[in-house]
Structure formats: structure tokens, C-alpha cells
Amino acid sequence: MLPARYRMRRSAEFSATVSRGVRAVEPDVVVHALHDGSAATGPRIGLVVSKAVGNAVERHLVSRRLRHAARTLIPRLDPTDLVVIRARPGSSQALTSRLEQQLQHALERLDARRRTSP
């Protein structure tokens, strides 16, 4: 489970992260990340699991798997990072370990992109 202090709750945080952040696309997830210098309350992680993923039971299962996988990302994130993880339709068939690998890979790509940008 993702601890409550790391969960993104406000719509404005989701919107800012998706619109102004960088993204990395993986087969089952899309990861949006934004380095927000104004908020140093710890990294915040939000999930978006749309109806395209499946029915309510499948969406809930995907949400639980993503929350569990996202917990492993927390030590790698800066306290001012905002991250939105959007599930793609194939995520309902993916195992938790596969989702975790994809999140790690996406975060590595975003870190590399952040280091090379001015």
C-alpha cells in the first residue's frame, strides 16, 4: 500500500503534472513527472485508471497493483517530485512485477532526460 502522505489528492496537482511534466511511455503504463520546487512535502504519486482498462473490478485490481509497485519508487524520488501513473488498457493483464519493472524503467528514462535538459 502507498502511504497516505505520498498520495496525490488534488486535481490541480494531477493537471499540473500531466500538462507541464515530462512523460515516459511503457507498454502498460504512462508515467508523467514534474519537479515542483514549491512543494517539499515529500514526493506525491497519483494514479489514473480509466474505464478503458476494464470494468470496476479490473480497474480496482490494477490500482492496487500500481499502488504496490509505486511504493518501490519513493526512495528514488526527490521530495519535490510529483508523479502521475496512468494505466493503459493492457495493464489489466500485467503482473505486479511487470508493472514494477515498467515503472522503474520509465523513471530511469525520465531521470536521464532531466539530467540532459538545461
Side-chain angles (χ1 to χ4, degrees), residues 81-117:
D81 284 342
L82 299 175
V83 177
V84 172
I85 302 166
R86 184 169 52 89
R88 298 180 75 190
S91 63
S92 62
Q93 304 302 317
L95 300 174
T96 305
S97 59
R98 177 179 162 97
L99 292 172
E100 190 173 328
Q101 288 173 347
Q102 289 183 20
L103 290 175
Q104 296 286 346
H105 185 252
L107 202 60
E108 289 169 7
R109 288 177 39 212
L110 292 173
D111 285 342
R113 192 176 304 160
R114 188 183 302 169
R115 279 181 291 203
T116 60
S117 66

Tab-separated table of all heavy atoms in Angstrom, residues 81-117:
chain	number	residue	atom	x	y	z
A	81	ASP	N	9.127	16.032	-6.048
A	81	ASP	CA	8.620	15.415	-7.277
A	81	ASP	C	7.132	15.109	-7.188
A	81	ASP	O	6.621	14.689	-6.148
A	81	ASP	CB	9.362	14.108	-7.570
A	81	ASP	CG	10.748	14.326	-8.129
A	81	ASP	OD1	11.022	15.440	-8.615
A	81	ASP	OD2	11.562	13.387	-8.077
A	82	LEU	N	6.456	15.336	-8.298
A	82	LEU	CA	5.064	14.929	-8.479
A	82	LEU	C	5.051	13.910	-9.610
A	82	LEU	O	5.623	14.157	-10.677
A	82	LEU	CB	4.183	16.119	-8.846
A	82	LEU	CG	4.102	17.253	-7.832
A	82	LEU	CD1	3.292	18.408	-8.412
A	82	LEU	CD2	3.492	16.779	-6.547
A	83	VAL	N	4.413	12.773	-9.398
A	83	VAL	CA	4.387	11.698	-10.397
A	83	VAL	C	2.951	11.233	-10.578
A	83	VAL	O	2.243	10.967	-9.602
A	83	VAL	CB	5.274	10.505	-9.950
A	83	VAL	CG1	5.185	9.360	-10.947
A	83	VAL	CG2	6.717	10.936	-9.765
A	84	VAL	N	2.529	11.137	-11.833
A	84	VAL	CA	1.218	10.575	-12.161
A	84	VAL	C	1.454	9.332	-12.999
A	84	VAL	O	2.169	9.381	-14.011
A	84	VAL	CB	0.320	11.578	-12.923
A	84	VAL	CG1	-0.948	10.903	-13.422
A	84	VAL	CG2	-0.037	12.748	-12.033
A	85	ILE	N	0.870	8.224	-12.582
A	85	ILE	CA	0.969	6.966	-13.303
A	85	ILE	C	-0.389	6.694	-13.927
A	85	ILE	O	-1.398	6.574	-13.214
A	85	ILE	CB	1.363	5.812	-12.357
A	85	ILE	CG1	2.682	6.131	-11.673
A	85	ILE	CG2	1.417	4.498	-13.118
A	85	ILE	CD1	2.986	5.229	-10.492
A	86	ARG	N	-0.402	6.620	-15.257
A	86	ARG	CA	-1.659	6.359	-15.972
A	86	ARG	C	-1.613	4.947	-16.528
A	86	ARG	O	-0.697	4.574	-17.253
A	86	ARG	CB	-1.851	7.363	-17.108
A	86	ARG	CG	-3.182	7.202	-17.810
A	86	ARG	CD	-3.479	8.353	-18.743
A	86	ARG	NE	-2.436	8.673	-19.683
A	86	ARG	CZ	-2.310	8.121	-20.894
A	86	ARG	NH1	-3.162	7.206	-21.287
A	86	ARG	NH2	-1.333	8.485	-21.698
A	87	ALA	N	-2.594	4.141	-16.160
A	87	ALA	CA	-2.675	2.759	-16.618
A	87	ALA	C	-3.196	2.725	-18.053
A	87	ALA	O	-4.145	3.426	-18.387
A	87	ALA	CB	-3.579	1.952	-15.708
A	88	ARG	N	-2.559	1.912	-18.862
A	88	ARG	CA	-3.035	1.700	-20.225
A	88	ARG	C	-3.886	0.430	-20.243
A	88	ARG	O	-3.832	-0.372	-19.308
A	88	ARG	CB	-1.842	1.587	-21.167
A	88	ARG	CG	-1.026	2.889	-21.178
A	88	ARG	CD	0.149	2.819	-22.097
A	88	ARG	NE	-0.350	2.934	-23.467
A	88	ARG	CZ	0.421	2.713	-24.524
A	88	ARG	NH1	1.680	2.378	-24.392
A	88	ARG	NH2	-0.094	2.838	-25.730
A	89	PRO	N	-4.685	0.218	-21.299
A	89	PRO	CA	-5.594	-0.931	-21.314
A	89	PRO	C	-4.938	-2.287	-21.058
A	89	PRO	O	-5.518	-3.150	-20.417
A	89	PRO	CB	-6.218	-0.864	-22.712
A	89	PRO	CG	-6.211	0.594	-23.027
A	89	PRO	CD	-4.933	1.124	-22.432
A	90	GLY	N	-3.711	-2.492	-21.495
A	90	GLY	CA	-3.046	-3.777	-21.284
A	90	GLY	C	-2.641	-4.049	-19.853
A	90	GLY	O	-2.270	-5.169	-19.506
A	91	SER	N	-2.705	-3.033	-19.002
A	91	SER	CA	-2.257	-3.202	-17.616
A	91	SER	C	-3.112	-4.185	-16.824
A	91	SER	O	-2.652	-4.733	-15.830
A	91	SER	CB	-2.218	-1.853	-16.910
A	91	SER	OG	-3.505	-1.294	-16.851
A	92	SER	N	-4.333	-4.433	-17.264
A	92	SER	CA	-5.190	-5.365	-16.523
A	92	SER	C	-4.675	-6.798	-16.628
A	92	SER	O	-4.967	-7.624	-15.772
A	92	SER	CB	-6.635	-5.287	-17.020
A	92	SER	OG	-6.704	-5.649	-18.378
A	93	GLN	N	-3.873	-7.088	-17.654
A	93	GLN	CA	-3.322	-8.430	-17.830
A	93	GLN	C	-1.909	-8.562	-17.273
A	93	GLN	O	-1.364	-9.651	-17.217
A	93	GLN	CB	-3.307	-8.795	-19.318
A	93	GLN	CG	-4.651	-8.690	-19.999
A	93	GLN	CD	-5.696	-9.568	-19.350
A	93	GLN	OE1	-5.427	-10.711	-19.013
A	93	GLN	NE2	-6.889	-9.034	-19.164
A	94	ALA	N	-1.307	-7.441	-16.870
A	94	ALA	CA	0.086	-7.445	-16.416
A	94	ALA	C	0.200	-7.843	-14.951
A	94	ALA	O	-0.641	-7.484	-14.131
A	94	ALA	CB	0.701	-6.067	-16.622
A	95	LEU	N	1.261	-8.573	-14.639
A	95	LEU	CA	1.554	-8.930	-13.258
A	95	LEU	C	2.180	-7.741	-12.542
A	95	LEU	O	2.724	-6.837	-13.173
A	95	LEU	CB	2.516	-10.111	-13.217
A	95	LEU	CG	2.036	-11.404	-13.872
A	95	LEU	CD1	3.152	-12.432	-13.879
A	95	LEU	CD2	0.825	-11.944	-13.134
A	96	THR	N	2.126	-7.765	-11.232
A	96	THR	CA	2.682	-6.675	-10.432
A	96	THR	C	4.168	-6.493	-10.705
A	96	THR	O	4.647	-5.369	-10.817
A	96	THR	CB	2.447	-6.937	-8.930
A	96	THR	OG1	1.057	-7.139	-8.721
A	96	THR	CG2	2.932	-5.779	-8.084
A	97	SER	N	4.895	-7.584	-10.848
A	97	SER	CA	6.336	-7.487	-11.103
A	97	SER	C	6.622	-6.804	-12.438
A	97	SER	O	7.554	-6.006	-12.549
A	97	SER	CB	6.990	-8.866	-11.064
A	97	SER	OG	6.414	-9.715	-12.030
A	98	ARG	N	5.806	-7.081	-13.442
A	98	ARG	CA	5.979	-6.434	-14.748
A	98	ARG	C	5.678	-4.928	-14.645
A	98	ARG	O	6.397	-4.107	-15.205
A	98	ARG	CB	5.074	-7.091	-15.779
A	98	ARG	CG	5.137	-6.442	-17.144
A	98	ARG	CD	4.221	-7.162	-18.122
A	98	ARG	NE	3.930	-6.362	-19.269
A	98	ARG	CZ	4.580	-6.457	-20.421
A	98	ARG	NH1	5.562	-7.308	-20.562
A	98	ARG	NH2	4.228	-5.690	-21.435
A	99	LEU	N	4.620	-4.588	-13.926
A	99	LEU	CA	4.290	-3.172	-13.735
A	99	LEU	C	5.412	-2.457	-12.984
A	99	LEU	O	5.788	-1.336	-13.329
A	99	LEU	CB	2.967	-3.025	-12.980
A	99	LEU	CG	1.711	-3.477	-13.720
A	99	LEU	CD1	0.513	-3.460	-12.788
A	99	LEU	CD2	1.464	-2.612	-14.938
A	100	GLU	N	5.964	-3.117	-11.987
A	100	GLU	CA	7.064	-2.525	-11.225
A	100	GLU	C	8.285	-2.293	-12.112
A	100	GLU	O	8.915	-1.237	-12.052
A	100	GLU	CB	7.426	-3.441	-10.058
A	100	GLU	CG	8.377	-2.825	-9.084
A	100	GLU	CD	8.571	-3.689	-7.857
A	100	GLU	OE1	7.622	-4.386	-7.458
A	100	GLU	OE2	9.685	-3.663	-7.315
A	101	GLN	N	8.621	-3.261	-12.960
A	101	GLN	CA	9.745	-3.106	-13.894
A	101	GLN	C	9.505	-1.947	-14.846
A	101	GLN	O	10.413	-1.159	-15.120
A	101	GLN	CB	9.961	-4.392	-14.698
A	101	GLN	CG	10.537	-5.524	-13.901
A	101	GLN	CD	10.571	-6.809	-14.718
A	101	GLN	OE1	9.957	-6.907	-15.784
A	101	GLN	NE2	11.280	-7.804	-14.209
A	102	GLN	N	8.292	-1.835	-15.353
A	102	GLN	CA	7.986	-0.749	-16.276
A	102	GLN	C	8.064	0.603	-15.588
A	102	GLN	O	8.552	1.570	-16.175
A	102	GLN	CB	6.606	-0.959	-16.901
A	102	GLN	CG	6.582	-2.105	-17.884
A	102	GLN	CD	5.238	-2.270	-18.547
A	102	GLN	OE1	4.428	-1.354	-18.584
A	102	GLN	NE2	4.995	-3.452	-19.098
A	103	LEU	N	7.605	0.693	-14.347
A	103	LEU	CA	7.709	1.949	-13.610
A	103	LEU	C	9.163	2.319	-13.367
A	103	LEU	O	9.554	3.483	-13.521
A	103	LEU	CB	6.954	1.849	-12.283
A	103	LEU	CG	5.440	1.801	-12.375
A	103	LEU	CD1	4.830	1.572	-10.994
A	103	LEU	CD2	4.889	3.062	-12.992
A	104	GLN	N	9.988	1.350	-12.990
A	104	GLN	CA	11.411	1.602	-12.758
A	104	GLN	C	12.077	2.085	-14.049
A	104	GLN	O	12.854	3.043	-14.047
A	104	GLN	CB	12.120	0.335	-12.250
A	104	GLN	CG	11.644	-0.146	-10.904
A	104	GLN	CD	12.136	0.713	-9.756
A	104	GLN	OE1	13.030	1.525	-9.902
A	104	GLN	NE2	11.529	0.527	-8.606
A	105	HIS	N	11.773	1.412	-15.157
A	105	HIS	CA	12.364	1.780	-16.444
A	105	HIS	C	11.929	3.180	-16.860
A	105	HIS	O	12.732	3.984	-17.341
A	105	HIS	CB	11.972	0.754	-17.508
A	105	HIS	CG	12.634	0.983	-18.816
A	105	HIS	ND1	11.952	1.460	-19.914
A	105	HIS	CD2	13.927	0.839	-19.200
A	105	HIS	CE1	12.793	1.585	-20.916
A	105	HIS	NE2	13.999	1.218	-20.517
A	106	ALA	N	10.667	3.493	-16.686
A	106	ALA	CA	10.161	4.826	-17.041
A	106	ALA	C	10.833	5.897	-16.190
A	106	ALA	O	11.222	6.956	-16.696
A	106	ALA	CB	8.644	4.882	-16.860
A	107	LEU	N	11.005	5.622	-14.911
A	107	LEU	CA	11.656	6.585	-14.023
A	107	LEU	C	13.127	6.797	-14.402
A	107	LEU	O	13.621	7.919	-14.370
A	107	LEU	CB	11.534	6.131	-12.575
A	107	LEU	CG	11.676	7.209	-11.540
A	107	LEU	CD1	10.607	8.275	-11.733
A	107	LEU	CD2	11.577	6.627	-10.151
A	108	GLU	N	13.806	5.727	-14.794
A	108	GLU	CA	15.191	5.859	-15.264
A	108	GLU	C	15.263	6.744	-16.499
A	108	GLU	O	16.149	7.592	-16.613
A	108	GLU	CB	15.780	4.479	-15.580
A	108	GLU	CG	16.059	3.634	-14.368
A	108	GLU	CD	16.390	2.195	-14.722
A	108	GLU	OE1	16.540	1.872	-15.929
A	108	GLU	OE2	16.501	1.379	-13.787
A	109	ARG	N	14.337	6.535	-17.429
A	109	ARG	CA	14.313	7.359	-18.645
A	109	ARG	C	14.034	8.818	-18.312
A	109	ARG	O	14.646	9.719	-18.884
A	109	ARG	CB	13.273	6.820	-19.623
A	109	ARG	CG	13.716	5.514	-20.242
A	109	ARG	CD	12.713	4.881	-21.172
A	109	ARG	NE	12.009	5.810	-22.010
A	109	ARG	CZ	10.764	5.624	-22.411
A	109	ARG	NH1	10.090	4.568	-22.049
A	109	ARG	NH2	10.175	6.498	-23.190
A	110	LEU	N	13.109	9.070	-17.383
A	110	LEU	CA	12.798	10.442	-17.000
A	110	LEU	C	13.981	11.094	-16.285
A	110	LEU	O	14.258	12.278	-16.500
A	110	LEU	CB	11.551	10.476	-16.109
A	110	LEU	CG	10.245	10.109	-16.803
A	110	LEU	CD1	9.118	10.001	-15.794
A	110	LEU	CD2	9.905	11.100	-17.890
A	111	ASP	N	14.683	10.338	-15.440
A	111	ASP	CA	15.873	10.871	-14.763
A	111	ASP	C	16.950	11.236	-15.769
A	111	ASP	O	17.588	12.279	-15.656
A	111	ASP	CB	16.429	9.866	-13.755
A	111	ASP	CG	15.596	9.776	-12.498
A	111	ASP	OD1	14.794	10.699	-12.241
A	111	ASP	OD2	15.753	8.777	-11.767
A	112	ALA	N	17.155	10.372	-16.759
A	112	ALA	CA	18.161	10.648	-17.786
A	112	ALA	C	17.776	11.885	-18.591
A	112	ALA	O	18.634	12.727	-18.904
A	112	ALA	CB	18.306	9.442	-18.714
A	113	ARG	N	16.513	12.027	-18.900
A	113	ARG	CA	16.041	13.187	-19.659
A	113	ARG	C	16.203	14.470	-18.834
A	113	ARG	O	16.577	15.512	-19.354
A	113	ARG	CB	14.572	13.005	-20.037
A	113	ARG	CG	14.082	13.992	-21.058
A	113	ARG	CD	12.672	13.724	-21.485
A	113	ARG	NE	12.522	12.387	-21.991
A	113	ARG	CZ	11.361	11.752	-22.080
A	113	ARG	NH1	10.256	12.346	-21.687
A	113	ARG	NH2	11.285	10.532	-22.555
A	114	ARG	N	15.935	14.365	-17.539
A	114	ARG	CA	16.054	15.522	-16.660
A	114	ARG	C	17.514	15.976	-16.533
A	114	ARG	O	17.812	17.151	-16.481
A	114	ARG	CB	15.503	15.191	-15.282
A	114	ARG	CG	15.415	16.394	-14.371
A	114	ARG	CD	14.944	16.052	-12.991
A	114	ARG	NE	13.638	15.420	-13.017
A	114	ARG	CZ	13.087	14.834	-11.967
A	114	ARG	NH1	13.713	14.801	-10.829
A	114	ARG	NH2	11.895	14.301	-12.065
A	115	ARG	N	18.440	15.026	-16.479
A	115	ARG	CA	19.871	15.362	-16.359
A	115	ARG	C	20.425	16.022	-17.610
A	115	ARG	O	21.300	16.856	-17.535
A	115	ARG	CB	20.688	14.122	-16.044
A	115	ARG	CG	20.665	13.750	-14.571
A	115	ARG	CD	21.490	12.562	-14.385
A	115	ARG	NE	20.748	11.484	-15.052
A	115	ARG	CZ	20.862	10.221	-14.804
A	115	ARG	NH1	21.719	9.793	-13.952
A	115	ARG	NH2	20.132	9.331	-15.407
A	116	THR	N	19.918	15.628	-18.784
A	116	THR	CA	20.428	16.185	-20.030
A	116	THR	C	19.796	17.525	-20.401
A	116	THR	O	20.345	18.258	-21.204
A	116	THR	CB	20.241	15.206	-21.198
A	116	THR	OG1	18.861	14.921	-21.351
A	116	THR	CG2	21.035	13.931	-20.956
A	117	SER	N	18.619	17.816	-19.838
A	117	SER	CA	17.979	19.098	-20.164
A	117	SER	C	18.616	20.217	-19.346
A	117	SER	O	19.070	20.004	-18.236
A	117	SER	CB	16.483	19.025	-19.899
A	117	SER	OG	16.232	18.879	-18.534
